Amino acid sequence: ACSDDDDDETDNSLIKSYSSLTVGAQDNPTIGSFLSLGNGTVYTLAQTAGNKSAIDIFCFYEEGNDMALSSPGGGISGIYMQDSVEIFDSTWNFTGFSQTDMSVARFDAIATPDSIVAQFTGTARRKASRLVANNIYAFKTQDAKYGLFKVISTTGEEAGSITFAVKMQK
């Protein structure tokens, strides 16, 4: 569910969409936790240092937040450590999240950027938490690209993963 599979990405003249992206939580042994929405690449913790500027979101599981997607520049701490040093600081990209009440059918029908931008309302939150199938969130990346993601499924806890679809501005 990495983006290297060209069939996974639909690129028309108006929006970029990924039909299925999967990221792992912090203890997932096989799936990276860090994602570039710009190119659909999933990175492992070891790959983050050289790709920091490309990473827009990461996945984690935490008691009380359950399965969550968050902004690496959002001040989340105590989840990812590298050589006992917290990896996130203010130089990471900030992606803001806004929960929607959009239906799955409406998400699936979106075909224009204006329909995406209109869903981002209220204050940008640093994470989308307690995610379950059919949750739909709006987001805005550090480089001011608006998008939506629809949760397809979540599995497990700290070693689990989340699979979701994305539609965003090019």
Side-chain angles (χ1 to χ4, degrees), residues 27-141:
D27 294 336
N28 190 304
T30 57
I31 304 170
S33 302
F34 304 86
L35 175 67
S36 167
L37 290 165
N39 63 25
T41 301
V42 176
Y43 299 97
T44 64
L45 179 60
Q47 295 169 323
T48 59
N51 296 290
K52 195 168 152 179
S53 65
I55 296 169
D56 298 299
I57 61 175
F58 70 95
C59 175
F60 71 101
Y61 179 89
E62 182 179 53
E63 196 68 38
N65 283 313
D66 300 335
M67 197 59 76
L69 294 175
S70 185
S71 170
I76 303 292
S77 62
I79 303 294
Y80 287 96
M81 307 288 279
Q82 205 163 34
D83 300 326
S84 78
V85 174
E86 182 66 44
I87 68 162
F88 300 126
D89 61 32
S90 61
T91 65
W92 286 78
N93 290 337
F94 180 77
T95 298
F97 298 92
S98 172
Q99 190 165 12
T100 74
D101 59 1
M102 177 180 279
S103 70
V104 169
R106 192 161 155 222
F107 173 90
D108 292 344
I110 284 184
T112 65
D114 292 346
S115 301
I116 294 170
V117 174
Q119 294 302 311
F120 194 87
T121 59
T123 303
R125 304 189 64 119
R126 63 185 180 158
K127 65 185 167 191
S129 57
R130 293 180 288 284
L131 296 174
V132 295
N134 299 325
N135 282 162
I136 298 172
Y137 273 78
F139 62 83
K140 181 182 177 186
T141 64

